[in-house]
């Protein structure tokens, strides 16, 4: 049952060394503040899973938090490479990173299977591709009814799912809307779930097709304004495209990356400190 707590308390109690962690959000509502708290608390040996990993996973990898990444498409969207991700794969800095790459369809189906308590996902896909040559977790099964050959991948059932949403009520029910990805499925598939929100309200008026996560599938709700920056939160703030461009220069070299992470993350006590620092420096 959801408890309202600080982000530091949530990460301290629910994210453990060696966990599998899914931090989802599709362009929109990416939980950057939670990623910074994991870095600040020095979690290690994580398996991180995400559709379209971008800047926050670059930071987790560069700070040595991850040993493996399960993903579909990785990059700085609209800009280019994730330099810390690339450095870890190619040079093993700061740690060698194991990777397991899938298609978007495979990961979406794997989350759905995990949410349903199934051991694997079965779907049409990967036909004519070389993915199975490099990923041993891509198999095939034959439909017992039609004889059709179908792709199969293990379901995703993370130890912890972390997402960002627009709001929660004081009982811990969560409301998100706009462009959403697999946040609902990730939370339902996980053993534990943390949701950061822009605001906590007495009650919310959800519209058609809005996503409501009931409090009994969420463990921690944390009020963290601007917690998705530089991604956007529909109804609250826009995507900070300039920051994504600046990240390319910051992350390109190890020294500039570590200096930035020390000043803007490790030297700050929480996300509000990082936000104030970013504001003072003219990043936002």
């Amino acid at each position: 049952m959801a408890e309202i707590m600080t982000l530091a308390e949530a990460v301290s109690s629910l994210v453990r060394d060696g966990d599998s962690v899914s931090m989802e959000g599709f362009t929109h509502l990416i939980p950057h503040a939670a990623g910074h708290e994991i870095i600040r608390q020095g979690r290690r040996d994580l398996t991180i899973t995400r559709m379209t990993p971008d800047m926050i996973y670059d930071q987790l990898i560069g700070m040595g938090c991850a040993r493996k990444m399960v993903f579909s498409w990785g990059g700085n969207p609209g800009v280019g490479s994730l330099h810390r991700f690339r450095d870890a794969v190619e040079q093993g800095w700061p740690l060698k990173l194991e990777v397991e790459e899938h298609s978007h369809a495979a990961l979406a189906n794997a989350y759905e299977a995990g949410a349903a308590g199934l051991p694997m996902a079965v779907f049409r896909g990967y036909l004519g591709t070389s993915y199975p040559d490099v990923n041993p977790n891509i198999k095939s099964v034959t439909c017992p009814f039609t004889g059709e050959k179908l792709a199969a991948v293990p379901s995703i059932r993370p130890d912890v799912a972390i997402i960002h949403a627009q709001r929660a009520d004081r009982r811990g029910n969560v409301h998100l809307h706009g462009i959403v990805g697999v946040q609902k499925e990730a939370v339902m598939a996980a053993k534990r779930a943390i949701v950061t929100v822009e605001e906590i309200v007495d009650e919310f008026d959800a519209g058609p097709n809005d996503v409501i996560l009931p409090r009994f599938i969420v463990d921690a709700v944390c009020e963290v304004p601007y917690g998705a920056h530089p991604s956007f939160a529909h109804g609250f703030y826009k995507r900070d495209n300039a920051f994504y461009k600046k990240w390319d220069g910051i992350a390109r070299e190890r020294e500039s990356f570590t200096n930035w992470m020390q000043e803007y993350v490790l030297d700050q006590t929480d996300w509000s400190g990082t936000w104030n620092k970013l504001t003072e420096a003219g990043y936002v």
Side-chain angles (χ1 to χ4, degrees), residues 120-145:
M120 67 175 184
V122 177
F123 60 102
R124 287 196 178 95
Y126 290 127
L127 295 175
T129 76
S130 58
Y131 273 88
D133 297 337
V134 296
N135 184 346
N137 271 336
I138 299 171
K139 307 289 188 184
S140 62
V141 296
T142 301
C143 173
F145 305 105

PDB file of all heavy atoms in Angstrom, residues 120-145:
ATOM      1  N   MET A 120       6.871 -15.601 -20.032  1.00  0.00           N
ATOM      2  CA  MET A 120       7.422 -15.119 -21.302  1.00  0.00           C
ATOM      3  C   MET A 120       6.350 -14.387 -22.106  1.00  0.00           C
ATOM      4  O   MET A 120       5.152 -14.503 -21.831  1.00  0.00           O
ATOM      5  CB  MET A 120       7.951 -16.288 -22.139  1.00  0.00           C
ATOM      6  CG  MET A 120       6.878 -17.225 -22.624  1.00  0.00           C
ATOM      7  SD  MET A 120       7.565 -18.512 -23.725  1.00  0.00           S
ATOM      8  CE  MET A 120       6.057 -19.369 -24.203  1.00  0.00           C
ATOM      9  N   ALA A 121       6.835 -13.636 -23.094  1.00  0.00           N
ATOM     10  CA  ALA A 121       5.940 -12.948 -24.031  1.00  0.00           C
ATOM     11  C   ALA A 121       6.060 -13.601 -25.396  1.00  0.00           C
ATOM     12  O   ALA A 121       7.164 -13.972 -25.825  1.00  0.00           O
ATOM     13  CB  ALA A 121       6.316 -11.475 -24.124  1.00  0.00           C
ATOM     14  N   VAL A 122       4.944 -13.764 -26.066  1.00  0.00           N
ATOM     15  CA  VAL A 122       4.906 -14.334 -27.409  1.00  0.00           C
ATOM     16  C   VAL A 122       4.272 -13.310 -28.342  1.00  0.00           C
ATOM     17  O   VAL A 122       3.224 -12.743 -28.034  1.00  0.00           O
ATOM     18  CB  VAL A 122       4.088 -15.644 -27.419  1.00  0.00           C
ATOM     19  CG1 VAL A 122       3.988 -16.206 -28.828  1.00  0.00           C
ATOM     20  CG2 VAL A 122       4.712 -16.680 -26.484  1.00  0.00           C
ATOM     21  N   PHE A 123       4.903 -13.069 -29.476  1.00  0.00           N
ATOM     22  CA  PHE A 123       4.413 -12.033 -30.383  1.00  0.00           C
ATOM     23  C   PHE A 123       5.019 -12.251 -31.769  1.00  0.00           C
ATOM     24  O   PHE A 123       5.947 -13.045 -31.953  1.00  0.00           O
ATOM     25  CB  PHE A 123       4.791 -10.640 -29.858  1.00  0.00           C
ATOM     26  CG  PHE A 123       6.275 -10.416 -29.713  1.00  0.00           C
ATOM     27  CD1 PHE A 123       6.980  -9.677 -30.659  1.00  0.00           C
ATOM     28  CD2 PHE A 123       6.978 -10.968 -28.655  1.00  0.00           C
ATOM     29  CE1 PHE A 123       8.336  -9.485 -30.541  1.00  0.00           C
ATOM     30  CE2 PHE A 123       8.347 -10.784 -28.524  1.00  0.00           C
ATOM     31  CZ  PHE A 123       9.030 -10.044 -29.467  1.00  0.00           C
ATOM     32  N   ARG A 124       4.472 -11.548 -32.759  1.00  0.00           N
ATOM     33  CA  ARG A 124       5.077 -11.543 -34.087  1.00  0.00           C
ATOM     34  C   ARG A 124       6.212 -10.513 -34.082  1.00  0.00           C
ATOM     35  O   ARG A 124       6.006  -9.364 -33.722  1.00  0.00           O
ATOM     36  CB  ARG A 124       4.056 -11.153 -35.151  1.00  0.00           C
ATOM     37  CG  ARG A 124       3.028 -12.222 -35.458  1.00  0.00           C
ATOM     38  CD  ARG A 124       2.326 -11.895 -36.769  1.00  0.00           C
ATOM     39  NE  ARG A 124       1.352 -12.920 -37.120  1.00  0.00           N
ATOM     40  CZ  ARG A 124       0.057 -12.866 -36.847  1.00  0.00           C
ATOM     41  NH1 ARG A 124      -0.411 -11.821 -36.196  1.00  0.00           N
ATOM     42  NH2 ARG A 124      -0.745 -13.847 -37.194  1.00  0.00           N
ATOM     43  N   GLY A 125       7.387 -10.921 -34.487  1.00  0.00           N
ATOM     44  CA  GLY A 125       8.486  -9.967 -34.538  1.00  0.00           C
ATOM     45  C   GLY A 125       9.800 -10.655 -34.815  1.00  0.00           C
ATOM     46  O   GLY A 125       9.890 -11.887 -34.807  1.00  0.00           O
ATOM     47  N   TYR A 126      10.812  -9.843 -35.072  1.00  0.00           N
ATOM     48  CA  TYR A 126      12.185 -10.293 -35.297  1.00  0.00           C
ATOM     49  C   TYR A 126      12.359 -11.098 -36.583  1.00  0.00           C
ATOM     50  O   TYR A 126      13.470 -11.569 -36.853  1.00  0.00           O
ATOM     51  CB  TYR A 126      12.699 -11.128 -34.111  1.00  0.00           C
ATOM     52  CG  TYR A 126      12.937 -10.311 -32.858  1.00  0.00           C
ATOM     53  CD1 TYR A 126      12.359 -10.668 -31.644  1.00  0.00           C
ATOM     54  CD2 TYR A 126      13.751  -9.188 -32.885  1.00  0.00           C
ATOM     55  CE1 TYR A 126      12.584  -9.928 -30.491  1.00  0.00           C
ATOM     56  CE2 TYR A 126      13.979  -8.448 -31.742  1.00  0.00           C
ATOM     57  CZ  TYR A 126      13.399  -8.817 -30.545  1.00  0.00           C
ATOM     58  OH  TYR A 126      13.628  -8.074 -29.409  1.00  0.00           O
ATOM     59  N   LEU A 127      11.301 -11.291 -37.356  1.00  0.00           N
ATOM     60  CA  LEU A 127      11.440 -12.058 -38.587  1.00  0.00           C
ATOM     61  C   LEU A 127      12.379 -11.325 -39.543  1.00  0.00           C
ATOM     62  O   LEU A 127      12.215 -10.135 -39.819  1.00  0.00           O
ATOM     63  CB  LEU A 127      10.072 -12.260 -39.250  1.00  0.00           C
ATOM     64  CG  LEU A 127       9.074 -13.097 -38.462  1.00  0.00           C
ATOM     65  CD1 LEU A 127       7.713 -13.114 -39.163  1.00  0.00           C
ATOM     66  CD2 LEU A 127       9.599 -14.516 -38.285  1.00  0.00           C
ATOM     67  N   GLY A 128      13.387 -12.023 -40.033  1.00  0.00           N
ATOM     68  CA  GLY A 128      14.304 -11.423 -40.998  1.00  0.00           C
ATOM     69  C   GLY A 128      15.330 -10.505 -40.383  1.00  0.00           C
ATOM     70  O   GLY A 128      16.068  -9.832 -41.107  1.00  0.00           O
ATOM     71  N   THR A 129      15.410 -10.443 -39.044  1.00  0.00           N
ATOM     72  CA  THR A 129      16.408  -9.583 -38.413  1.00  0.00           C
ATOM     73  C   THR A 129      17.546 -10.429 -37.853  1.00  0.00           C
ATOM     74  O   THR A 129      17.437 -11.649 -37.717  1.00  0.00           O
ATOM     75  CB  THR A 129      15.794  -8.766 -37.251  1.00  0.00           C
ATOM     76  OG1 THR A 129      15.622  -9.625 -36.110  1.00  0.00           O
ATOM     77  CG2 THR A 129      14.442  -8.179 -37.646  1.00  0.00           C
ATOM     78  N   SER A 130      18.637  -9.754 -37.473  1.00  0.00           N
ATOM     79  CA  SER A 130      19.795 -10.448 -36.890  1.00  0.00           C
ATOM     80  C   SER A 130      19.806 -10.371 -35.368  1.00  0.00           C
ATOM     81  O   SER A 130      20.766 -10.798 -34.742  1.00  0.00           O
ATOM     82  CB  SER A 130      21.091  -9.851 -37.448  1.00  0.00           C
ATOM     83  OG  SER A 130      21.148  -8.465 -37.171  1.00  0.00           O
ATOM     84  N   TYR A 131      18.761  -9.813 -34.761  1.00  0.00           N
ATOM     85  CA  TYR A 131      18.713  -9.724 -33.304  1.00  0.00           C
ATOM     86  C   TYR A 131      18.963 -11.077 -32.622  1.00  0.00           C
ATOM     87  O   TYR A 131      19.733 -11.161 -31.669  1.00  0.00           O
ATOM     88  CB  TYR A 131      17.359  -9.176 -32.842  1.00  0.00           C
ATOM     89  CG  TYR A 131      17.264  -7.680 -32.783  1.00  0.00           C
ATOM     90  CD1 TYR A 131      16.892  -6.947 -33.895  1.00  0.00           C
ATOM     91  CD2 TYR A 131      17.506  -6.985 -31.602  1.00  0.00           C
ATOM     92  CE1 TYR A 131      16.776  -5.571 -33.848  1.00  0.00           C
ATOM     93  CE2 TYR A 131      17.391  -5.614 -31.532  1.00  0.00           C
ATOM     94  CZ  TYR A 131      17.032  -4.903 -32.663  1.00  0.00           C
ATOM     95  OH  TYR A 131      16.931  -3.530 -32.603  1.00  0.00           O
ATOM     96  N   PRO A 132      18.305 -12.164 -33.069  1.00  0.00           N
ATOM     97  CA  PRO A 132      18.527 -13.449 -32.370  1.00  0.00           C
ATOM     98  C   PRO A 132      19.976 -13.916 -32.416  1.00  0.00           C
ATOM     99  O   PRO A 132      20.397 -14.714 -31.569  1.00  0.00           O
ATOM    100  CB  PRO A 132      17.598 -14.414 -33.131  1.00  0.00           C
ATOM    101  CG  PRO A 132      16.541 -13.537 -33.708  1.00  0.00           C
ATOM    102  CD  PRO A 132      17.251 -12.277 -34.091  1.00  0.00           C
ATOM    103  N   ASP A 133      20.764 -13.417 -33.367  1.00  0.00           N
ATOM    104  CA  ASP A 133      22.175 -13.818 -33.450  1.00  0.00           C
ATOM    105  C   ASP A 133      23.000 -13.220 -32.314  1.00  0.00           C
ATOM    106  O   ASP A 133      24.050 -13.763 -31.951  1.00  0.00           O
ATOM    107  CB  ASP A 133      22.779 -13.366 -34.791  1.00  0.00           C
ATOM    108  CG  ASP A 133      22.099 -14.032 -35.980  1.00  0.00           C
ATOM    109  OD1 ASP A 133      21.506 -15.118 -35.789  1.00  0.00           O
ATOM    110  OD2 ASP A 133      22.156 -13.462 -37.082  1.00  0.00           O
ATOM    111  N   VAL A 134      22.556 -12.099 -31.770  1.00  0.00           N
ATOM    112  CA  VAL A 134      23.337 -11.418 -30.736  1.00  0.00           C
ATOM    113  C   VAL A 134      22.637 -11.422 -29.382  1.00  0.00           C
ATOM    114  O   VAL A 134      23.209 -10.967 -28.393  1.00  0.00           O
ATOM    115  CB  VAL A 134      23.648  -9.959 -31.151  1.00  0.00           C
ATOM    116  CG1 VAL A 134      24.525  -9.947 -32.396  1.00  0.00           C
ATOM    117  CG2 VAL A 134      22.371  -9.160 -31.382  1.00  0.00           C
ATOM    118  N   ASN A 135      21.419 -11.885 -29.330  1.00  0.00           N
ATOM    119  CA  ASN A 135      20.682 -11.906 -28.071  1.00  0.00           C
ATOM    120  C   ASN A 135      20.106 -13.303 -27.842  1.00  0.00           C
ATOM    121  O   ASN A 135      19.070 -13.665 -28.426  1.00  0.00           O
ATOM    122  CB  ASN A 135      19.562 -10.863 -28.089  1.00  0.00           C
ATOM    123  CG  ASN A 135      18.827 -10.778 -26.759  1.00  0.00           C
ATOM    124  OD1 ASN A 135      18.962 -11.654 -25.899  1.00  0.00           O
ATOM    125  ND2 ASN A 135      18.040  -9.736 -26.603  1.00  0.00           N
ATOM    126  N   PRO A 136      20.731 -14.109 -26.965  1.00  0.00           N
ATOM    127  CA  PRO A 136      20.255 -15.475 -26.737  1.00  0.00           C
ATOM    128  C   PRO A 136      18.914 -15.545 -26.042  1.00  0.00           C
ATOM    129  O   PRO A 136      18.327 -16.635 -25.948  1.00  0.00           O
ATOM    130  CB  PRO A 136      21.359 -16.090 -25.873  1.00  0.00           C
ATOM    131  CG  PRO A 136      22.022 -14.944 -25.210  1.00  0.00           C
ATOM    132  CD  PRO A 136      21.956 -13.804 -26.193  1.00  0.00           C
ATOM    133  N   ASN A 137      18.409 -14.411 -25.559  1.00  0.00           N
ATOM    134  CA  ASN A 137      17.090 -14.411 -24.924  1.00  0.00           C
ATOM    135  C   ASN A 137      15.957 -14.201 -25.916  1.00  0.00           C
ATOM    136  O   ASN A 137      14.810 -14.004 -25.519  1.00  0.00           O
ATOM    137  CB  ASN A 137      17.020 -13.325 -23.841  1.00  0.00           C
ATOM    138  CG  ASN A 137      17.487 -13.851 -22.494  1.00  0.00           C
ATOM    139  OD1 ASN A 137      17.433 -15.064 -22.245  1.00  0.00           O
ATOM    140  ND2 ASN A 137      17.943 -12.962 -21.636  1.00  0.00           N
ATOM    141  N   ILE A 138      16.273 -14.240 -27.192  1.00  0.00           N
ATOM    142  CA  ILE A 138      15.225 -14.209 -28.223  1.00  0.00           C
ATOM    143  C   ILE A 138      15.089 -15.618 -28.786  1.00  0.00           C
ATOM    144  O   ILE A 138      16.022 -16.156 -29.380  1.00  0.00           O
ATOM    145  CB  ILE A 138      15.568 -13.217 -29.346  1.00  0.00           C
ATOM    146  CG1 ILE A 138      15.682 -11.792 -28.793  1.00  0.00           C
ATOM    147  CG2 ILE A 138      14.502 -13.277 -30.448  1.00  0.00           C
ATOM    148  CD1 ILE A 138      16.229 -10.790 -29.795  1.00  0.00           C
ATOM    149  N   LYS A 139      13.946 -16.216 -28.534  1.00  0.00           N
ATOM    150  CA  LYS A 139      13.684 -17.582 -28.984  1.00  0.00           C
ATOM    151  C   LYS A 139      12.471 -17.566 -29.905  1.00  0.00           C
ATOM    152  O   LYS A 139      11.894 -16.519 -30.201  1.00  0.00           O
ATOM    153  CB  LYS A 139      13.409 -18.492 -27.778  1.00  0.00           C
ATOM    154  CG  LYS A 139      14.472 -18.471 -26.693  1.00  0.00           C
ATOM    155  CD  LYS A 139      15.751 -19.156 -27.137  1.00  0.00           C
ATOM    156  CE  LYS A 139      16.725 -19.287 -25.957  1.00  0.00           C
ATOM    157  NZ  LYS A 139      18.025 -19.863 -26.378  1.00  0.00           N
ATOM    158  N   SER A 140      12.076 -18.750 -30.337  1.00  0.00           N
ATOM    159  CA  SER A 140      10.850 -18.848 -31.130  1.00  0.00           C
ATOM    160  C   SER A 140      10.023 -20.025 -30.615  1.00  0.00           C
ATOM    161  O   SER A 140      10.563 -20.988 -30.054  1.00  0.00           O
ATOM    162  CB  SER A 140      11.158 -19.016 -32.619  1.00  0.00           C
ATOM    163  OG  SER A 140      11.874 -20.219 -32.848  1.00  0.00           O
ATOM    164  N   VAL A 141       8.726 -19.926 -30.775  1.00  0.00           N
ATOM    165  CA  VAL A 141       7.799 -21.000 -30.416  1.00  0.00           C
ATOM    166  C   VAL A 141       6.839 -21.189 -31.584  1.00  0.00           C
ATOM    167  O   VAL A 141       6.659 -20.296 -32.421  1.00  0.00           O
ATOM    168  CB  VAL A 141       7.006 -20.682 -29.136  1.00  0.00           C
ATOM    169  CG1 VAL A 141       7.926 -20.574 -27.934  1.00  0.00           C
ATOM    170  CG2 VAL A 141       6.203 -19.402 -29.302  1.00  0.00           C
ATOM    171  N   THR A 142       6.234 -22.356 -31.614  1.00  0.00           N
ATOM    172  CA  THR A 142       5.255 -22.649 -32.665  1.00  0.00           C
ATOM    173  C   THR A 142       3.855 -22.640 -32.067  1.00  0.00           C
ATOM    174  O   THR A 142       3.591 -23.307 -31.061  1.00  0.00           O
ATOM    175  CB  THR A 142       5.538 -24.027 -33.290  1.00  0.00           C
ATOM    176  OG1 THR A 142       6.860 -24.023 -33.836  1.00  0.00           O
ATOM    177  CG2 THR A 142       4.542 -24.328 -34.407  1.00  0.00           C
ATOM    178  N   CYS A 143       2.971 -21.892 -32.667  1.00  0.00           N
ATOM    179  CA  CYS A 143       1.585 -21.805 -32.188  1.00  0.00           C
ATOM    180  C   CYS A 143       0.935 -23.194 -32.292  1.00  0.00           C
ATOM    181  O   CYS A 143       0.941 -23.797 -33.372  1.00  0.00           O
ATOM    182  CB  CYS A 143       0.803 -20.790 -33.008  1.00  0.00           C
ATOM    183  SG  CYS A 143      -0.962 -20.780 -32.608  1.00  0.00           S
ATOM    184  N   PRO A 144       0.380 -23.705 -31.180  1.00  0.00           N
ATOM    185  CA  PRO A 144      -0.217 -25.047 -31.220  1.00  0.00           C
ATOM    186  C   PRO A 144      -1.522 -25.100 -32.006  1.00  0.00           C
ATOM    187  O   PRO A 144      -2.039 -26.187 -32.286  1.00  0.00           O
ATOM    188  CB  PRO A 144      -0.462 -25.359 -29.740  1.00  0.00           C
ATOM    189  CG  PRO A 144      -0.613 -24.028 -29.100  1.00  0.00           C
ATOM    190  CD  PRO A 144       0.308 -23.104 -29.839  1.00  0.00           C
ATOM    191  N   PHE A 145      -2.055 -23.948 -32.394  1.00  0.00           N
ATOM    192  CA  PHE A 145      -3.329 -23.906 -33.108  1.00  0.00           C
ATOM    193  C   PHE A 145      -3.155 -23.694 -34.610  1.00  0.00           C
ATOM    194  O   PHE A 145      -3.868 -24.271 -35.422  1.00  0.00           O
ATOM    195  CB  PHE A 145      -4.203 -22.788 -32.526  1.00  0.00           C
ATOM    196  CG  PHE A 145      -4.400 -22.908 -31.039  1.00  0.00           C
ATOM    197  CD1 PHE A 145      -3.725 -22.074 -30.167  1.00  0.00           C
ATOM    198  CD2 PHE A 145      -5.224 -23.887 -30.506  1.00  0.00           C
ATOM    199  CE1 PHE A 145      -3.881 -22.189 -28.800  1.00  0.00           C
ATOM    200  CE2 PHE A 145      -5.391 -24.022 -29.130  1.00  0.00           C
ATOM    201  CZ  PHE A 145      -4.719 -23.170 -28.278  1.00  0.00           C
TER     202      PHE A 145
END
